[in-house]
Amino acid sequence: MGKMNTAKESKKLIKYKPGKEYIATIQCTLSSTTHTITYKGDLKEGFFLKDLAPGLIKIFGKSFTSAVGEIPNSLFAIIFFIVSFFFSAFFLSVANYYTSERGILLAILLSGFVITTAVPLKLQYYYIAEYYRNTVCNNCGKEFICRETEKPDIKEISTPETYRIQITRYWSCRSCGYMNVRESSEGFVTKKGKTMKVSDLAKVQCKRCGKTGTYIEYKKPDIRVSKEQETMERRYYRCKLCNYEDIAATEFFMVPDSGGVSAIEWNIDYEDYFG
């Protein structure tokens, strides 16, 4: 293999939430600055309407359930707010409240309350449709019959201009024993971000030599957004003094508060692993 196609491999212990960590293998192709990150993920967790999923699929159908689940959260919230506002206004006008400023305020408050319950409910539709697809056996055709039997394989591929994720899960049929292997991005939105400002980059300390102001960010960061609107941002650094290559990431999600919305953020640590 030629020098330009040389790839180097390392292992990282990635600590992404309190008490949660995993070991990832990172391959970097030097000629294209492409990072391939592979690791074992977590089994699918349950969700609120899981036990009702078979009945809801029968009532609403696979196509409708899937279509509702795929509507963007922001668009769904706007539509639901408008519809609920007019419904609230109608019922308040019948009760002779809507003509006052108090009635308008009450209609807005009622619409806001509906929104706080509607968006989580819309996510449940996505989970139901996904659960149905995962638990249908490709061999015998039975529905809601498969169970996940081993942790999924996750592969993230990051180039200077693109970023994507591939998740492979293993679902065993409890009826015929067939192993259903399913690959998808599981609804993650992936894209590239903007490199850090020089003034901010100068504050980052090299993990090896301890110097600040020596890092360069040698490619655009990876951004991954989940259906729950949790956002991960991962950056790639190289020290100009000791040539150490570092990876750092943060994850955050937005929550409502008295001032509107605020971000809850935590760091994802990438530690060298030699086990």
Side-chain angles (χ1 to χ4, degrees), residues 55-149:
L56 292 172
I57 286 289
K58 287 182 180 179
I59 294 172
F60 297 109
K62 301 184 289 291
S63 298
F64 176 81
T65 304
S66 180
V68 172
E70 293 297 335
I71 299 174
N73 289 347
S74 56
L75 177 60
F76 189 83
I78 292 171
I79 294 173
F80 233 88
F81 180 84
I82 294 173
V83 172
S84 60
F85 176 82
F86 280 105
F87 267 102
S88 300
F90 172 76
F91 287 115
L92 289 172
S93 65
V94 171
N96 296 321
Y97 283 118
Y98 185 65
T99 54
S100 65
E101 291 182 359
R102 182 181 297 177
I104 297 174
L105 178 60
L106 185 56
I108 294 174
L109 292 175
L110 287 173
S111 301
F113 174 76
V114 171
I115 288 299
T116 59
T117 57
V119 173
L121 181 61
K122 178 250 153 184
L123 282 173
Q124 292 296 310
Y125 274 86
Y126 176 83
Y127 297 145
I128 291 170
E130 181 185 54
Y131 180 56
Y132 173 81
R133 291 191 296 269
N134 286 334
T135 56
V136 171
C137 180
N138 292 340
N139 186 53
C140 67
K142 292 184 178 180
E143 300 177 343
F144 298 105
I145 196 67
C146 298
R147 61 187 178 91
E148 197 172 12
T149 54

Side-chain angles (χ1 to χ4, degrees), residues 29-260:
T29 304
L30 302 181
S31 59
S32 59
T33 320
T34 296
H35 291 80
T36 302
I37 305 173
T38 56
Y39 54 95
K40 286 288 187 180
D42 294 325
L43 297 176
K44 278 286 184 181
E45 297 180 351
F47 55 96
F48 183 65
L49 295 180
K50 181 178 179 179
D51 293 337
L52 300 177
L56 292 172
I57 286 289
K58 287 182 180 179
I59 294 172
F60 297 109
K62 301 184 289 291
S63 298
F64 176 81
T65 304
S66 180
V68 172
E70 293 297 335
I71 299 174
N73 289 347
S74 56
L75 177 60
F76 189 83
I78 292 171
I79 294 173
F80 233 88
F81 180 84
I82 294 173
V83 172
S84 60
F85 176 82
F86 280 105
F87 267 102
S88 300
F90 172 76
F91 287 115
L92 289 172
S93 65
V94 171
N96 296 321
Y97 283 118
Y98 185 65
T99 54
S100 65
E101 291 182 359
R102 182 181 297 177
I104 297 174
L105 178 60
L106 185 56
I108 294 174
L109 292 175
L110 287 173
S111 301
F113 174 76
V114 171
I115 288 299
T116 59
T117 57
V119 173
L121 181 61
K122 178 250 153 184
L123 282 173
Q124 292 296 310
Y125 274 86
Y126 176 83
Y127 297 145
I128 291 170
E130 181 185 54
Y131 180 56
Y132 173 81
R133 291 191 296 269
N134 286 334
T135 56
V136 171
C137 180
N138 292 340
N139 186 53
C140 67
K142 292 184 178 180
E143 300 177 343
F144 298 105
I145 196 67
C146 298
R147 61 187 178 91
E148 197 172 12
T149 54
E150 61 180 275
K151 291 186 175 182
D153 293 311
I154 300 179
K155 178 187 288 186
E156 301 182 49
I157 301 174
S158 170
T159 75
E161 299 296 334
T162 64
Y163 168 54
R164 63 186 178 90
I165 183 170
Q166 176 182 296
I167 302 171
T168 304
R169 294 189 181 270
Y170 306 92
W171 298 83
S172 176
C173 179
R174 290 175 291 175
S175 179
C176 68
Y178 182 75
M179 178 62 73
N180 297 266
V181 180
R182 312 197 193 281
E183 295 182 355
S184 74
S185 63
E186 296 195 353
F188 283 106
V189 175
T190 55
K191 58 185 178 180
K192 303 296 286 189
K194 295 181 179 180
T195 55
M196 190 181 296
K197 293 180 180 179
V198 175
S199 57
D200 294 329
L201 186 60
K203 301 173 185 177
V204 183
Q205 184 180 45
C206 176
K207 287 182 180 178
R208 176 180 288 173
C209 68
K211 302 292 185 180
T212 56
T214 61
Y215 267 179
I216 60 171
E217 191 174 5
Y218 60 91
K219 71 175 183 178
K220 296 176 182 177
D222 306 325
I223 296 178
R224 184 184 70 217
V225 184
S226 71
K227 281 289 183 180
E228 296 79 16
Q229 298 302 303
E230 289 188 357
T231 301
M232 184 280 299
E233 185 176 67
R234 179 170 53 223
R235 296 182 180 275
Y236 300 84
Y237 305 119
R238 182 183 294 119
C239 180
K240 292 182 289 186
L241 289 183
C242 68
N243 210 35
Y244 179 70
E245 291 192 359
D246 190 14
I247 298 176
T250 57
E251 192 162 4
F252 63 89
F253 64 94
M254 308 303 291
V255 295
D257 60 18
S258 58

Side-chain angles (χ1 to χ4, degrees), residues 252-271:
F252 63 89
F253 64 94
M254 308 303 291
V255 295
D257 60 18
S258 58
V261 292
S262 60
I264 295 179
E265 181 177 315
W266 59 92
N267 292 325
I268 302 175
D269 295 324
Y270 286 70
E271 300 179 0

